[in-house]
Amino acid sequence: MAQPFPDQARAVIIGGGVMGCSVAYHLAKLGLRDVVLLEQGRLSCGTTWHAAGLVGQLRAHLNMTKLVQYSAELYAKLESETGQATGWKQCGSVLVARTPERVTLFKRIASAAKAQGVACEMISIEEAAKRYPIMRTDDLLGALWLPLDAKVNPADVTQALAKGARINGARIFEQTRVTAIHRKNGTVMGVGTSKGDIKAEIVVNCAGQWAKQVGRMCGVTVPLHSAEHMYIVTGKIEGVHPDLPVLRDPDGYIYVKEEVGGLLMGGFEPEAKPWAMDGIPEGFEFGMLPDDWDQFSILMENALVRLPALEKADIKTFMNGPESFTPDNNFIMGEAPELKNFFVGAGFNSIGIASGGGAGKALAEWIVAGEPTLDLWPVDIRRFARFFDNDAYLHDRVKEVLGLHYKMPWPNRELTSVRPFRRSPLYERLAGKHALFGSKMGWERPNFFAPSATEVTIDYSFGRQNWFPFVAAEHKATRDGVTIFDLTSFSKFLMQGRDAESVLQRLCANNVAVPVGNTVYTGLLNERGTFESDLTVARIGEDRFLLISGTAQATRDADWIRRNMHDAHAFLTDVTSAYAVIAVMGPRSRELLAQLTRAPLDNKTFPFGAVREIGVGFATVYAARRTYVGELGWELYVPTEFAAGVYDALMQAGEKLGVRDAGYYAIDSLRLEKGYRAWGRELTPDYTPYEAGLGFAVDLDKGDFIGRAALIVAKDKPLQRRMLSFVATSPDTPLAHGGELILRKGKPTGEITSASYGHTVGGIVALGYVATGGDKVDAAFLEGPFELDVAGERVPVRASLKAPYDPANSRVKA
Ligand SMILES: Cc1cc2nc3c(=O)[nH]c(=O)nc-3n(C[C@H](O)[C@H](O)[C@H](O)COP(=O)(O)OP(=O)(O)OC[C@H]3O[C@@H](n4cnc5c(N)ncnc54)[C@H](O)[C@@H]3O)c2cc1C
């Protein structure tokens, strides 16, 4: 008997692909009653049905790896739980390298894999040939073996998840299209469908490549765009059997999997083909796109090099199906900042089958707990902002994104499409001075300044890149003289109102009830006592605060703060675009600024941490005495239209002091020498301030704040993990870039979160968390000995709780 169509549900999930079914399965498993899934066609009919079914475990970020590891565990047991087969087969995968750089990358991957707990090893070419006998190997330089990688049948996995969801009480309606999202006062109220309205407390948008359209029904930004993704399937080939591992040849852009005695071969070509510029056609169900052998030719040519047997094989199927891609090649998860109780899980960039099990669990937990239960920042919907929802931008960006899967992931790789995008008022000036710009949150930010126009380039490698000496000079000028940084991309908010102080006191772990004219560095914590963000609060009036945080945090911070303001008389305004930020840093910064202002800059009148409204040249700016580079310095918050004037005045006045521009690569090197932590690297929802070594920025005595109860408990317990600084100064050490395995007494103990070359300490300088096993982190513990595994090479490092560069703070505090 057909089940009656509900008019009410606790949670409505839109979309019956692998993600929607995984969310339904996990919500039902978590005990959420009244879960309803709506699918406009039939289950798996969107992108899921035609996926190749590869489940590759290793990802760039530890928690993303954990999601796939969980998917693997789940898919392996779903058949016994539900009776529905999934085609699960743990066949392992072989990755091959055609270039020396790719071999180095593999070595780095093997090191990161150890840190992430993934089985992975470098193997010889002979060993690779044994595992994949039909492959040509004479042009190969190295290979990697991941024994736990697997393959599944995606449509069957989806049916098994759906069955498991139904067993646990969820209801699934196919042929039911969601046509509207109902909302009231910023909260979702339910959905309108082709079969009638359903009132719901929670709505989850798992509509795959349609998720952007579904988001637009209710003003929610889901920045993704469809692109064509293709593979072929051959008839039977001699020597191909079901136990053959998956083969990946990233230098040739291809992946290969056994399929019914033949081969399924697809890949990620360097320039993709966006699809559905005018929207996805009505009724696109189990849809395929026309064969495009021109687009596929680069994959075919490479496959013929690797697998000569393909030459004579029958091509049974040319599969061209659309998949959605996002601006940064990471998927999109979480509660929409624009609409309460409206969640998104979409934009899987061709890894939705591998990630679907874990991502569905993580999103279900987020829905039930009201916040993510682990650090999901790389895929958090709040890493985007409204301006990413531009179709022309998305169209041009996805052309580049699909190919990133197999493009060399250089440590400081920059994407090149749709650039320049967001520009500071100083952009043209800095470009004229040979700035090489990087991109963050859409902003163009100077990474370094080259001595000539022809050197404004990055020659990517794992070793010292072309800009090494340029950054060394910027670093030295900051330590010894004075430099100017364009930090305009900082996120900035005004918090105003008579309850502004009390709202901030509840949000901040540090005491921000300071007199007007002071700044306070603080974490914003969740109830678990771990970081939701970190920022600087500048009190610029009795009921007026300027909040300053990192470039990437704008949407996230606004969301977190607004969620926790409740009915207070306080108003948050994003003023990021209203102010440029020009930082004047270095021991001679006072001398420089003094030429342009009548305001006293001495330590007594303008101490460290103070913020004052002062004149600089003809402009009136907020000047905050802060530093992220470990030197005397001021950050100037300049109304945008005055920025160029202030910059010119500083440059002119600083000429005789040898002032020069400096960029973000120098900042990384300078801040790591000073042990300064960065949001998203060292500070994440996985760590407390105590673990991060930021206990000094917590005031447990100031009254209640979010996370206080958890910190009181944590404070009395031995730390299990602790952030340490690391330095390696022997002359031949390879460079570290983050993600390296940390060893103590020869045993794996953690992972590097940030690394650079410290030009003052003269070697690797890095931060990373280590497992303490509950031991006190004292001198004996720090003795280690510690090492880093850099691409398979053991590099001895010195560990310390304190900053590696600390000139007794004399210049900073003096
Ligand atoms: C050729 C190809 C090969 C691939 N190979 C792999 C692989 O080997 N490994 C891997 O991990 N990933 C692979 N992928 C990617 C993978 O298929 C996707 O990431 C994944 O299927 C996305 O699942 P989803 O649930 O997000 O989207 P979908 O499967 O598209 O599901 C979304 C569903 O929402 C429904 N829907 C949309 N709008 C509405 C509405 N208004 N009302 C109701 N329902 C609606 C749609 O009908 C659709 O069924 C591949 C993709 C392609 C194209």
Side-chain angles (χ1 to χ4, degrees):
M1 198 180 70
Q3 52 185 345
F5 192 72
D7 58 7
Q8 202 153 334
R10 184 82 195 281
V12 167
I13 298 160
I14 307 168
V18 68
M19 184 57 180
C21 290
S22 179
V23 173
Y25 172 88
H26 287 99
L27 279 179
K29 279 255 163 176
L30 285 170
L32 206 77
R33 296 289 130 233
D34 229 0
V35 173
V36 168
L37 183 148
L38 306 175
E39 164 54 50
Q40 62 184 4
R42 278 162 291 157
L43 292 183
S44 84
C45 75
T47 298
T48 296
W49 70 280
H50 52 56
L54 314 186
V55 182
Q57 298 211 353
L58 196 62
R59 304 283 152 204
H61 185 276
L62 172 62
N63 285 353
M64 300 307 111
T65 302
K66 283 187 185 163
L67 296 188
V68 186
Q69 286 178 315
Y70 171 81
S71 295
E73 269 169 43
L74 176 69
Y75 299 164
K77 68 174 191 200
L78 262 183
E79 180 171 357
S80 61
E81 188 184 317
T82 64
Q84 163 72 52
T86 58
W88 166 261
K89 185 152 187 69
Q90 198 159 63
C91 52
S93 67
V94 175
L95 277 75
V96 294
R98 300 186 187 195
T99 63
E101 294 78 19
R102 188 73 67 174
V103 175
T104 307
L105 174 68
F106 283 1
K107 288 180 180 165
R108 287 184 179 258
I109 288 176
S111 154
K114 272 184 227 149
Q116 298 192 7
V118 174
C120 173
E121 56 176 315
M122 290 294 293
I123 53 173
S124 65
I125 308 291
E126 294 71 41
E127 175 78 26
K130 251 192 244 154
R131 293 192 183 275
Y132 214 96
I134 60 163
M135 149 172 84
R136 182 184 148 197
T137 54
D138 59 345
D139 60 337
L140 294 179
L141 301 181
L144 202 59
W145 169 238
L146 286 124
L148 301 184
D149 278 2
K151 55 185 180 178
V152 290
N153 180 332
D156 290 346
V157 165
T158 308
Q159 292 294 348
L161 288 166
K163 199 165 173 197
R166 284 196 193 99
I167 292 168
N168 288 291
R171 284 174 296 165
I172 295 177
F173 296 88
E174 295 179 286
Q175 311 290 1
T176 309
R177 181 155 195 226
V178 171
T179 52
I181 309 290
H182 301 312
R183 54 204 157 128
K184 200 172 165 188
N185 297 335
T187 303
V188 76
M189 303 304 286
V191 296
T193 83
S194 51
K195 292 185 179 160
D197 285 355
I198 306 179
K199 280 193 192 136
E201 267 174 54
I202 294 155
V203 174
V204 195
N205 176 2
C206 297
Q209 58 176 342
W210 293 262
K212 178 171 68 178
Q213 286 317 120
V214 171
R216 285 178 183 172
M217 291 178 191
C218 52
V220 168
T221 307
V222 187
L224 51 80
H225 199 294
S226 307
E228 301 186 15
H229 184 35
M230 305 164 199
Y231 60 73
I232 53 164
V233 184
T234 72
K236 286 196 178 358
I237 294 178
E238 210 185 309
V240 175
H241 52 82
D243 293 331
L244 210 56
V246 166
L247 172 66
R248 291 188 177 84
D249 178 1
D251 295 314
Y253 317 111
I254 55 166
Y255 59 78
V256 190
K257 166 197 146 185
E258 181 275 341
E259 181 106 342
V260 207
L263 292 177
L264 180 158
M265 186 279 288
F268 298 102
E269 64 275 22
E271 181 159 352
K273 200 176 157 201
W275 181 70
M277 277 66 80
D278 302 318
I280 298 160
E282 267 304 290
F284 191 81
E285 185 182 340
F286 293 113
M288 281 170 67
L289 306 176
D291 300 1
D292 186 342
W293 281 99
D294 281 347
Q295 181 72 15
F296 197 71
S297 62
I298 186 166
L299 306 182
M300 197 64 209
E301 282 159 20
N302 276 288
L304 287 169
V305 170
R306 189 61 46 233
L307 299 162
L310 275 180
E311 191 83 55
K312 296 203 177 103
D314 284 345
I315 311 286
K316 296 260 185 227
T317 312
F318 188 114
M319 167 59 76
N320 184 3
E323 158 72 328
S324 55
F325 291 84
T326 62
D328 61 1
N329 204 25
N330 284 327
F331 50 90
I332 304 174
M333 271 187 37
E335 188 174 1
E338 299 99 333
L339 187 60
K340 197 164 186 304
N341 291 343
F342 184 84
F343 290 81
V344 179
F348 277 94
N349 301 283
S350 245
I351 55 159
I353 308 305
S355 306
K361 176 171 183 270
L363 189 56
E365 286 176 355
W366 191 334
I367 291 166
V368 170
E371 60 187 34
T373 48
L374 73 168
D375 173 26
L376 293 172
W377 179 234
V379 294
D380 193 314
I381 191 168
R382 294 168 297 175
R383 72 190 188 279
F384 293 118
R386 195 114 192 93
F387 53 78
F388 285 108
D389 194 24
N390 173 301
D391 285 323
Y393 162 80
L394 291 168
H395 170 273
D396 284 9
R397 175 45 70 101
V398 302
K399 280 190 200 172
E400 182 182 16
V401 167
L402 178 140
L404 295 179
H405 279 289
Y406 287 169
K407 200 172 173 183
M408 278 297 285
W410 297 113
N412 47 331
R413 179 178 69 186
E414 291 287 348
L415 303 195
T416 53
S417 52
V418 204
R419 303 270 312 272
F421 189 40
R422 264 179 117 181
R423 296 177 223 190
S424 126
L426 303 183
Y427 177 84
E428 299 298 343
R429 279 172 167 69
L430 303 184
K433 293 165 89 175
H434 314 311
L436 182 293
F437 293 93
S439 169
K440 195 162 197 181
M441 191 64 160
W443 283 102
E444 300 294 333
R445 313 190 314 167
N447 279 341
F448 62 84
F449 291 81
S452 72
T454 52
E455 290 163 287
V456 185
T457 173
I458 301 182
D459 298 334
Y460 289 114
S461 78
F462 289 107
R464 292 185 182 190
Q465 299 179 7
N466 58 312
W467 45 263
F468 191 86
F470 317 153
V471 171
E474 292 170 23
H475 180 117
K476 191 167 166 12
T478 312
R479 290 268 183 262
D480 297 341
V482 56
T483 48
I484 304 285
F485 295 87
D486 178 12
L487 306 181
T488 298
S489 64
F490 273 172
S491 304
K492 298 153 228 127
F493 302 94
L494 264 187
M495 171 73 98
Q496 302 177 88
R498 58 173 183 269
D499 297 334
E501 180 188 293
S502 59
V503 167
L504 287 173
Q505 281 292 70
R506 214 184 116 56
L507 276 159
C508 299
N510 211 344
N511 190 352
V512 297
V514 290
V516 174
N518 284 283
T519 63
V520 179
Y521 172 73
T522 180
L524 303 186
L525 310 181
N526 52 38
E527 294 292 357
R528 304 196 306 280
T530 59
F531 285 94
E532 284 296 323
S533 188
D534 74 324
L535 45 75
T536 295
V537 177
R539 187 164 209 164
I540 54 175
E542 267 313 313
D543 54 6
R544 204 171 145 81
F545 296 80
L546 181 63
L547 314 181
I548 303 134
S549 69
T551 304
Q553 286 147 268
T555 308
R556 184 188 179 98
D557 287 350
D559 176 60
W560 181 257
I561 294 168
R562 289 203 175 105
R563 253 163 217 283
N564 289 291
M565 281 166 64
H566 308 297
D567 294 329
H569 185 270
F571 308 91
L572 187 77
T573 313
D574 186 332
V575 293
T576 301
S577 303
Y579 292 96
V581 183
I582 303 175
V584 188
M585 293 288 146
R588 304 195 74 179
S589 55
R590 182 180 278 134
E591 240 174 290
L592 169 51
L593 256 189
Q595 296 177 56
L596 295 171
T597 185
R598 298 176 65 82
L601 300 172
D602 60 287
N603 282 325
K604 203 151 167 259
T605 328
F606 209 140
F608 186 77
V611 57
R612 308 268 183 266
E613 199 170 20
I614 64 171
V616 175
F618 299 122
T620 303
V621 310
Y622 284 111
R625 179 141 167 230
R626 322 192 307 134
T627 178
Y628 194 49
V629 295
E631 296 298 336
L632 177 72
W634 279 263
E635 286 172 1
L636 306 179
Y637 291 79
V638 186
T640 306
E641 63 274 37
F642 288 100
V646 168
Y647 175 81
D648 291 347
L650 285 165
M651 280 297 164
Q652 209 182 354
E655 209 178 327
K656 51 189 174 299
L657 299 177
V659 70
R660 54 169 301 160
D661 299 285
Y664 273 86
Y665 288 173
I667 290 182
D668 236 16
S669 153
L670 292 156
R671 70 116 181 155
L672 285 169
E673 287 188 338
K674 244 338 246 174
Y676 290 142
R677 280 67 168 148
W679 162 256
R681 305 265 197 103
E682 287 75 42
L683 311 179
T684 79
D686 284 345
Y687 298 103
T688 67
Y690 301 131
E691 290 166 331
L694 294 181
F696 70 87
V698 173
D699 185 346
L700 290 176
D701 301 326
K702 70 164 189 170
D704 200 18
F705 60 87
I706 303 171
R708 181 172 177 268
L711 290 191
I712 288 172
V713 175
K715 198 168 193 310
D716 292 332
K717 286 194 180 152
L719 290 179
Q720 295 302 316
R721 299 167 307 184
R722 181 64 162 85
M723 165 71 45
L724 297 180
S725 279
F726 297 95
V727 170
T729 51
S730 57
D732 302 326
T733 34
L735 294 185
H737 301 289
E740 290 80 11
L741 176 72
I742 307 168
L743 301 113
R744 182 169 180 265
K745 295 185 178 167
K747 295 210 180 81
T749 187
E751 193 184 5
I752 291 295
T753 47
S754 295
S756 180
Y757 185 90
H759 292 280
T760 308
V761 300
I764 294 179
V765 60
L767 285 166
Y769 283 98
V770 297
T772 63
D775 290 347
K776 201 159 182 279
V777 182
D778 52 15
F781 183 93
L782 293 170
E783 279 295 303
F786 284 95
E787 294 164 301
L788 302 188
D789 179 333
V790 183
E793 192 176 323
R794 295 282 178 95
V795 176
V797 283
R798 224 173 46 239
S800 66
L801 284 168
K802 287 203 185 123
Y805 165 78
D806 192 3
N809 273 341
S810 53
R811 286 205 299 239
V812 183
K813 291 256 165 72

